[in-house]
């Protein structure tokens, strides 16, 4: 595949760019943040996403979606990132949809219509500690009656309390640390024994701490195969990771562009500060880092879309690189803005906060660099 | 027993007798710290008592002369006193920009009357000060300031605006750079003191990305400042300001060492043991941290003996603040998703995230890293060019 | 079968029939590479035969027009040919600055006679070329060059000195920037070709820190150059040079990918497994390396379709060369004490150390990293200032 | 201890600086390099070191030395580094002497006089692999007759073939990886079964590959206690490490000063290149790194001299930091010199080569950063 966007993809980019800039720019984010919104996003905007067809971008055409791939999802995510548009797109339309595509027809029929309509939100309940460690899942699902009884806890379930369903990874066999023996479940938010406590995050997103105290689910709640959840989980995580990476390309590029504009207008010592060579070199270096991030993310997306054997390696590298580059962009952004960069009134600080959240999401740059090393055989 | 050891024993005894038990526990947060001033509300009787006793003993400013409210201690004695306070866990009786910044400037540039009057007020915690330097549009470029004091014979009438005034909304008085000569860029600025209750002074807090508002915008609308409220010579306020900035830089450069030489890695062992690449970052950070502590120690020893280059504090400010930012990036990485929480009790009200965001200002306030590098390059390395 | 696949089959068959077995093994070192030219001594009959067969087929320069010695292949066919050569492990029949640099410039700026004559010589491996750009004292600042060609009617008389002339001591001809107008800094330079055997040309090899001498100083003492040996217009040599530097930058930026996407870490597993911090550096390097490969792929795709910014190759040159330096630092770290050895057979004559030192020039030659960053900042990011 | 040099130390610095600059400047190094000297250093210069008292700087006064500490040894080493003066000072007068100070009187009497006279050279035979790994010593010393029989191999024995004696670490008990069970031996260069092969290194120093094929030594060849060699080894290694760090402060400072001078004179684009702000900022940053390295090395030296419990931690940090800073100095040095920095004719490349050797010597920056982490409890 050529590493350039085709005409259709460019059109999608235009329309996503126009849509986010007009319907969900940073002022939209500020509005929902400042009202202390309990969801951390606008249900109205989520409906608009559906009208644009975004919510079903990865859902097969036969099931009412757009049947597109990670590249297209990433195009939308980049614009989300650039505008800090709050939405359940990454969790619901990217990660959850990728998991549900591996579920049976009944389950897909139950959830896809709501996603397509922009009415359903799905939470991803994987994390159990402060760092991403999917193979260390300890949450237990015991055989019970016609199904399973889930016991354990989850955290960092983004938009958990706004979700209609949680995808919960639990252990049906094997020991903590093993990838075999995991199973994924679709757990209704109203299930008895399920309780959630929402916490606002630094980037004003909401994330839930979830308790599962003997939550009973039927056998048809299983996504994929019992004990074989790792395959589904890996697919879901990789989609979430490459999606978060694409969003970080948007966040970083947004922060960078804002900063470069500032360098061209701000005066100090009777000169526009963009004339100072030390800042010019840092700007050029940053540009190179962001361009590199954009490239590896596109590469990872296209390998995933091809189903290439190396996709996992490139996704890890993409999540790591996008994290490092976006982090540099927001750090340079705040520093180059100087004092006003520290104020809540200016947007650059919001990008710094968002970067932090996305960097942690589904494993940070160091975690993924370590995976790259492992996959590369050392 | 040496004189210093005699002093140590006495200081220890005094502290044990006079420091209330409540004041031997760490302050819980900024609200728990005594800043003094007209409007300060003591959080407890113990806090009030501790301040009063220290004031009486001269221990709010132990190394200031007795005539100006201090205890007249030597540098060695002051160090011993602090060591003993640290051993007992005594809180600082009084925090104040008056102590840290204005006092040293007055000691060098003030008249005898000013020293007795203002330093006495500072020492007794009666007046809380703020600093008026930066202006909108003149961040690193202090000499471009516009706030103007028009000469009206026995007073100036000041008009203009300051920004980044720390706690201006809580301060009683301000020490402020004001242009008093529009024809001379460098030697046309004076260092004035005035009451924040003077008609025409208003303040507006600035909300930061950390969610806190330690700084204000401060507006001056025909503010009358009597001529005797100048420190140093007319139009030579830059000399006072530079002296004071040097002090501020030392203070801020100390920040790199928040956590001292104790590695933050040990407490995070459980996380780091499963994160080899993150652990490596932490290891390399610890090397830098140990280095900075040794560097600071060496700098202070050279500074005290007059061997340090006069611009060296700029280097320390650069290194220390960049290190502190790096430390907080690591704290966030190791803290993971819990460190992202912004309001929860679990996260202590988002303290990690808020501290992390706060540290981003370290390399901006008191001279940006870029300005520090310019100064080091030109003044210490003597690189050519303007 | 598509036309391209038909071509692939034909190319494969031709290679299998014509490429001698000896030429299907990797070259052992620089001495084992065919550079052609008047003084070249073939290392084997196979090397000579392989060159002759490729020349006859136009495969030394497969994408050049047949009229100028090539095979007239399309870009797609050229790519297929290279893939098939790689599969069989065929060596390049001919390495040459003429192929990589002068040829493309002649194709764009040369007269028809020049193309037929010089490109033909290059294609047949008859003439080995070197490049005369840099001068002592004008490293990054090419336009400050002093070498002067005095107009004598039908010829110039050239006097001056060049430096960093690659293999000047082995080259037959030089393409050389010469000032032909002292009054115009930028538009006063011409692009001349002349024989290194012309009276007045002398060369002196420069020993590098790697111990090798791939470069020379080159001196011109009243060297006569006929007027018809100019490429492009008089005084517009800068246009030719810039075009050619772009080509060079692409070539050098490719260096970041020496090792391709294959991690060097795997082979070093035994060392890395006991060196957690070094392993982390390697891991972060691998992220950068995969990134650079993807970046290069994207750049080439955008370049081919005319979507890349004209100055983008400067960015790639910067990123690629810095990456290659970092790679070699890691190779040295992982290689440990054995990589320090400089002459021993065990270390293959110090190949790791010598390669490592050689890569330090990557970010200097063909435009320093600093110049690349200037160009990116000004031309792509459109930062203000001179 | 104050972190400044006292008057005596300043005097020593003056005299070491004058001595190296006049007797062993870079031209001296070049001379011995270009003649392909089999020792890699001048025996005449080593005698001159002795005349200056340098060779016995760490030998107790009662035994004819100067009885000084690591700070003073470091002062000499910094000047050695700045001038690239080739000598056995670091191996013989620092590392070996620190080991021999823990040996019995007979052994000290045997070797100290030769060291004091600048006649004796001692090689340190510790390394067995390409990376520093002292606890992994596999060389075996079996009880045999009145002593031991040594079998194994060593590498990177600097100046090994010029040495009169090798300090060999071998295992008398315990398993590879254990610190207990090691013993240090003084092995005469002429011992039967000992063979060496010299290899020239990138910085023109000579290092030997050593084979020990049943080398018989008497019991009095043991330095310190049998099976308790780790204590002696640690002391010797830490002295070597902090010494190498001090030498790197000299190498880095020498490279930096040379580069700063160049920035102030070299013109490009009609300006002295030191006027370019991007280079100014990099220069100021580099200066900060070198000053930091200087500080941590001084701290580590003074803690060693005090016998402080934290000395080992600070030595590791000092070796790591000096390695990182010196490496930055030589990389920036070559880059800022541009093309001429790549030529053998200019000195800056020689500093780059020396840095590489010293960085590897007794553990590189990554090795020591790892030790810092371990000692800090994670």
């Amino acid at each position: 595949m050529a590493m350039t966007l085709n005409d259709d993809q460019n059109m999608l980019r235009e329309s996503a760019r126009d849509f986010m800039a007009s319907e969900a720019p940073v002022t939209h984010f500020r509005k929902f943040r400042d009202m202390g919104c309990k969801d951390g996003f606008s249900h109205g905007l989520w409906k608009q996403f559906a009208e644009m067809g975004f919510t079903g971008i990865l859902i097969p055409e036969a099931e009412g979606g757009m049947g597109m791939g990670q590249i297209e999802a990433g195009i939308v995510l980049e614009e989300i990132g650039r505008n800090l548009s709050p939405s359940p797109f990454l969790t619901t339309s990217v990660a959850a949809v990728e998991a549900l595509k591996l579920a049976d027809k009944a389950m897909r029929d139950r959830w896809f219509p709501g996603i397509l309509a922009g009415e359903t939100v799905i939470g991803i309940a994987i994390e159990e500690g402060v760092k991403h460690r999917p193979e260390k899942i300890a949450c237990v699902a015991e055989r019970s009656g016609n199904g399973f009884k889930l016991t354990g806890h989850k955290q960092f379930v983004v938009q958990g309390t706004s979700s209609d369903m949680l995808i919960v990874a639990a252990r049906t066999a094997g020991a903590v640390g093993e990838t075999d023996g995991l199973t994924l479940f679709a757990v209704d938010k109203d299930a008895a024994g399920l309780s959630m406590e929402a916490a606002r995050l630094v980037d004003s997103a909401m994330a839930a701490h979830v308790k599962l105290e003997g939550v009973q689910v039927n056998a048809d709640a299983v996504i994929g195969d019992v004990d074989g959840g790792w395959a589904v989980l890996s697919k879901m995580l990789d989609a979430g990771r490459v999606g978060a990476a694409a969003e970080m390309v948007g966040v970083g590029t947004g922060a960078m562009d804002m900063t470069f504009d500032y360098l061209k207008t701000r005066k100090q010592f009777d000169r526009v500060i963009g004339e100072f060579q030390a800042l010019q070199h840092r700007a050029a270096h940053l540009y190179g880092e962001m361009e590199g991030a954009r490239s590896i993310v596109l590469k990872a997306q296209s390998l995933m879309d091809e189903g290439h054997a190396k996709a996992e390696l490139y996704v890890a590298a993409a999540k790591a690189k996008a994290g490092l580059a976006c982090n540099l962009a927001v750090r340079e952004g705040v520093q180059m803005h100087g004092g006003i960069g520290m104020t809540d009134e200016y947007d650059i600080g919001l990008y710094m906060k968002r970067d932090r959240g996305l960097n942690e999401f589904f494993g940070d740059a160091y975690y993924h660099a370590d995976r790259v090393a492992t996959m590369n055989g050392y | 027993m040496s004189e210093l050891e005699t002093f140590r024993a006495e200081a220890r005894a005094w502290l044990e007798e006079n420091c209330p038990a409540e004041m031997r526990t760490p302050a819980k947060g900024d609200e728990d710290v005594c800043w003094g001033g007209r409007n300060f509300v003591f959080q407890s009787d113990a806090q009030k008592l501790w301040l009063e006793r220290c004031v009486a003993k001269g221990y709010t400013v132990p190394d200031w002369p007795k005539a100006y409210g201090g205890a007249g201690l030597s540098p060695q004695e002051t160090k011993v006193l602090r060591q003993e306070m640290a051993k007992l866990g005594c809180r600082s009786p009084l925090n104040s920009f008056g102590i840290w910044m204005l006092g040293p400037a007055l000691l060098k540039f003030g008249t005898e009357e000013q020293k007795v009057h203002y330093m006495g007020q500072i020492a007794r915690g009666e007046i809380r000060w703020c600093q008026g330097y930066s202006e909108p549009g003149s961040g690193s470029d202090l000499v471009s300031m516009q706030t103007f004091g028009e000469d009206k014979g026995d007073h100036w009438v000041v008009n203009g605006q300051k920004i980044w005034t720390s706690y201006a909304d809580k301060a009683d008085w301000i020490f402020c750079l004001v242009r008093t000569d529009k024809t001379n860029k460098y030697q046309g600025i004076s260092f004035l003191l005035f009451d924040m209750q003077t008609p025409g002074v208003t303040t507006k807090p600035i909300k930061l990305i950390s969610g806190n508002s330690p700084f204000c915008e401060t507006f001056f609308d025909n503010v009358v400042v009597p001529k005797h409220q100048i420190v140093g010579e007319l139009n030579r306020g830059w000399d006072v300001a530079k002296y004071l900035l040097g002090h501020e830089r030392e203070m801020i450069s100390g920040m790199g060492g928040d956590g001292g030489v104790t590695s933050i890695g040990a407490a995070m062992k459980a996380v780091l043991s499963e994160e080899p690449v993150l652990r490596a970052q932490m290891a390399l950070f610890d090397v830098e941290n140990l280095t900075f502590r040794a560097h600071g120690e060496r700098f202070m020893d050279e500074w005290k003996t007059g061997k340090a280059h006069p611009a060296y504090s700029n280097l320390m400010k650069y290194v220390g603040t960049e290190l502190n930012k790096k430390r907080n990036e690591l704290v966030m990485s190791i803290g993971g998703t819990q460190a992202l929480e912004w309001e929860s009790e679990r996260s202590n009200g988002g303290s990690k995230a808020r501290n992390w965001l706060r540290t981003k200002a370290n390399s901006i306030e008191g001279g940006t890293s870029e300005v520090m590098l310019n100064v080091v390059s030109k003044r210490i390395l003597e690189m050519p060019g303007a």
Side-chain angles (χ1 to χ4, degrees), chain A, chain B:
Chain A
M1 210 223 63
M3 288 277 282
T4 51
L5 298 188
N6 63 30
D7 290 345
D8 288 346
Q9 290 163 340
N10 276 315
M11 272 178 56
L12 175 65
R13 166 172 304 235
E14 288 306 309
S15 90
R17 186 163 290 183
D18 291 347
F19 174 79
M20 298 301 165
S22 68
E23 302 305 311
V26 181
T27 48
H28 171 94
F29 166 72
R30 278 189 182 275
K31 188 176 134 195
F32 279 81
R33 181 192 75 154
D34 293 346
M35 69 170 63
C37 172
K38 71 169 180 44
D39 291 309
F41 68 93
S42 151
H43 288 281
L45 182 67
W46 188 226
K47 285 253 183 200
Q48 285 178 285
F49 266 57
E51 284 154 24
M52 294 292 293
F54 295 156
T55 57
I57 198 161
L58 290 170
I59 294 177
E61 283 183 275
E63 297 178 76
M66 291 176 74
M68 292 176 165
Q70 300 302 331
I71 294 180
E72 289 80 5
I75 286 170
V76 175
L77 280 160
E78 183 180 340
E79 301 309 319
I80 287 175
R82 190 190 307 273
N83 293 280
L84 307 181
S85 317
S87 87
F89 183 80
L90 179 55
T91 49
T92 302
S93 296
V94 178
V97 163
E98 282 301 320
L100 291 171
K101 277 157 83 173
L102 300 174
D104 57 26
K105 184 152 187 319
M107 171 108 54
R108 297 203 307 274
D109 285 347
R110 171 148 183 220
W111 295 109
F112 280 171
I115 295 172
L116 287 163
E119 284 166 0
T120 296
V121 172
I122 298 178
I124 311 295
I126 303 299
E127 310 299 353
E128 299 183 1
V130 298
K131 298 297 284 184
H132 185 55
R133 191 86 59 241
E135 73 284 3
K136 291 283 173 76
I137 285 166
C139 179
V140 170
E142 295 169 286
R143 293 265 176 196
S144 161
N146 174 36
F148 297 86
K149 198 171 69 182
L150 277 62
T151 307
H153 75 275
K154 297 285 175 182
Q155 59 191 57
F156 198 48
V157 182
V158 177
Q159 292 141 351
T161 54
S162 315
S163 295
D164 301 284
M165 182 264 273
L166 301 183
I167 296 182
V168 177
R171 191 162 286 287
T172 38
V176 171
E178 291 176 10
T179 52
D180 280 350
L182 292 173
T183 305
L184 262 63
F185 297 93
V187 179
D188 200 275
K189 66 157 176 187
D190 298 321
L194 177 75
S195 61
M196 287 195 255
E197 177 211 334
R200 187 171 300 283
L201 304 184
V202 63
D203 58 0
S204 272
M206 299 302 289
H209 290 259
V210 177
K211 273 193 198 152
L212 298 138
E213 293 169 302
V215 175
Q216 181 71 40
V217 295
N218 287 336
D220 63 6
V222 172
I223 305 173
D225 298 326
V226 174
D227 294 350
W230 186 254
V232 188
L233 185 59
S234 297
K235 191 81 189 295
M236 177 172 81
L237 290 179
D238 272 356
R241 287 159 178 165
V242 82
E247 190 171 340
M248 282 193 286
V249 168
V251 171
T253 307
M256 178 175 78
D257 289 349
M258 186 183 303
T259 303
F260 290 175
D261 285 347
Y262 186 74
L263 291 181
K264 290 174 190 173
T265 52
R266 165 75 167 172
K267 281 195 171 186
Q268 290 269 276
F269 307 105
D270 297 326
R271 287 167 68 186
V272 176
I273 61 175
E275 287 181 40
F276 288 102
Q277 196 199 30
L279 295 186
Q280 290 184 340
H281 280 200
R282 279 160 56 187
H285 175 76
L286 169 59
Y287 174 72
E289 292 294 288
M290 285 308 309
E291 285 285 291
R294 175 179 300 284
S295 307
I296 184 82
V297 170
L298 182 57
K299 182 77 184 176
Q301 290 164 338
S302 60
L303 292 179
M304 271 191 82
D305 288 341
E306 285 173 32
H308 196 285
K310 288 271 183 190
E312 201 177 356
L313 173 68
Y314 276 83
V315 168
K319 181 67 168 68
K321 181 63 193 179
L324 295 168
C326 184
N327 183 256
L328 179 68
V330 298
R331 283 188 287 115
E332 286 288 51
V334 168
Q335 178 67 22
M336 289 183 182
H337 272 77
I340 62 159
M342 287 300 297
T343 64
D344 187 70
E345 188 185 344
Y346 273 73
D347 290 342
I348 188 72
L350 303 177
Y351 283 82
M352 176 171 271
K353 294 175 182 181
R354 186 77 191 113
D355 165 64
R356 176 52 63 189
L358 285 166
N359 249 299
E360 280 300 323
F361 198 63
F362 291 150
D364 70 8
Y366 305 126
Y367 172 83
H368 286 291
D370 182 56
R371 288 182 72 228
V372 166
T374 305
M375 286 188 264
N376 272 340
Y378 61 92
Chain B
M1 191 149 69
S2 74
E3 268 180 56
L4 209 55
E5 289 313 302
T6 311
F7 172 77
R8 185 187 296 276
E10 286 167 9
R12 172 90 180 193
W14 186 88
L15 290 168
E16 281 181 343
E17 191 172 329
N18 289 283
C19 185
E22 254 186 81
M23 292 296 106
R24 298 189 195 184
T25 58
K28 274 163 217 123
D30 197 45
E31 12 357 289
D32 213 23
V33 164
C34 177
W35 285 91
R38 290 175 191 145
N39 304 313
F40 185 72
V41 180
F42 288 101
Q43 299 297 299
S44 66
D45 290 343
Q47 191 183 43
K48 185 159 182 282
L49 191 66
W50 178 224
L51 176 62
E52 283 168 359
R53 285 176 177 169
C54 284
V55 166
K57 185 81 176 171
Y59 276 5
T60 55
V61 284
D63 56 342
W64 288 11
K66 288 188 179 176
Y68 313 143
L73 300 191
S74 70
Q76 291 75 23
E77 287 168 334
T78 306
K79 197 171 168 187
V80 164
L81 175 64
R82 295 207 195 292
Q83 287 168 347
E84 293 305 312
M85 286 178 70
K87 278 185 206 157
L88 290 179
C90 307
R91 290 188 201 172
S92 163
L94 181 64
N95 278 11
S96 138
F97 293 116
I99 295 176
W100 301 327
M101 302 174 77
L102 181 59
L106 283 171
L107 204 58
K108 186 169 171 79
F109 294 96
T111 63
E112 183 60 22
E113 289 80 358
Q114 286 174 333
K115 290 178 193 171
V116 171
H117 179 70
Y118 295 118
M119 290 176 76
Q121 287 181 330
I122 291 168
R124 295 187 298 273
E126 291 166 3
I127 294 294
R128 182 170 180 178
W129 287 85
C130 65
Q131 178 199 53
Y133 276 23
S134 293
E135 297 187 4
S138 75
S140 292
D141 185 15
L142 275 179
V143 291
S144 72
M145 59 179 54
Q146 304 291 324
T147 294
F148 183 63
E150 197 184 348
D151 191 332
K152 296 285 192 177
D154 67 342
H155 66 275
W156 291 280
V157 171
V158 176
N159 281 284
Q161 184 183 350
K162 293 287 173 183
I163 196 167
W164 307 122
T165 334
S166 299
Y167 300 114
D169 52 339
K170 291 176 178 137
D172 305 311
W173 276 61
I174 186 168
F175 49 97
C176 189
L177 287 176
V178 174
R179 183 162 295 287
T180 40
D181 180 351
K182 291 188 178 175
T183 63
N184 191 323
K185 203 170 167 184
Y186 290 86
Q187 301 194 355
I189 291 170
S190 297
F191 192 96
L192 307 187
L193 313 177
F194 52 93
D195 195 321
M196 292 293 279
Q197 291 183 349
T198 317
V201 178
T202 49
T203 61
K204 188 180 153 203
I206 302 166
K207 191 174 173 194
L208 294 189
I209 54 177
S210 63
N212 304 324
S213 301
F215 300 109
C216 292
E217 291 179 278
T218 307
F219 304 89
F220 309 128
D221 179 21
N222 289 322
V223 175
V224 172
V225 180
K227 284 272 174 94
H228 64 84
Q229 288 174 201
I230 188 174
V231 178
E233 288 176 53
L234 180 69
N235 293 328
R236 300 303 295 261
W238 191 233
D239 298 345
V240 186
K242 269 198 300 190
Y243 179 77
L244 214 147
L245 272 177
H247 264 266
E248 189 183 15
R249 255 161 226 164
E250 278 171 58
M251 212 170 80
I252 294 177
S253 73
M255 283 186 170
D258 265 11
V261 290
T262 308
S263 168
I264 54 175
M268 308 292 188
K269 188 184 164 83
V271 168
L272 293 175
S273 66
E274 298 196 39
E275 297 274 349
V277 181
L278 180 53
R279 175 182 173 277
Q281 307 304 308
M282 188 71 223
L284 291 166
F285 174 83
D286 271 355
V287 170
E288 300 302 333
N289 189 43
L290 288 167
T291 296
F292 180 71
R293 300 298 297 187
H295 197 175
E297 213 182 307
R298 178 174 148 244
F299 166 54
M300 290 313 295
D301 286 346
E302 294 196 344
W303 189 263
K304 279 184 293 192
T305 52
K307 283 179 201 147
H309 190 287
Y312 206 93
S313 64
N314 294 275
L315 177 66
M316 297 310 290
K317 202 264 174 186
Y318 164 70
V319 178
T321 55
E322 294 295 334
L323 187 71
N324 200 36
K325 289 197 296 180
K326 202 184 282 179
R327 177 201 309 278
N328 279 273
E329 288 284 337
L330 283 169
V331 167
M332 289 303 287
S333 286
I334 297 172
T337 58
Q338 186 161 311
L340 295 176
E341 296 193 15
W342 188 242
E343 293 165 338
S344 65
E345 208 168 314
R346 183 187 305 110
S347 68
N348 192 21
S351 64
K352 278 184 183 163
R354 290 171 197 268
N355 283 341
W356 161 66
L357 289 164
R358 174 65 185 86
T359 59
K360 297 303 176 192
N362 296 165
S363 52
I364 297 168
E365 61 202 342
T368 63
S369 282
E370 291 76 16
V371 168
M372 298 299 105
L373 290 170
N374 284 341
V375 172
V376 170
S377 152
K378 289 188 182 139
R379 292 190 52 205
I380 302 182
L381 309 185
E382 298 176 343
M383 287 294 155

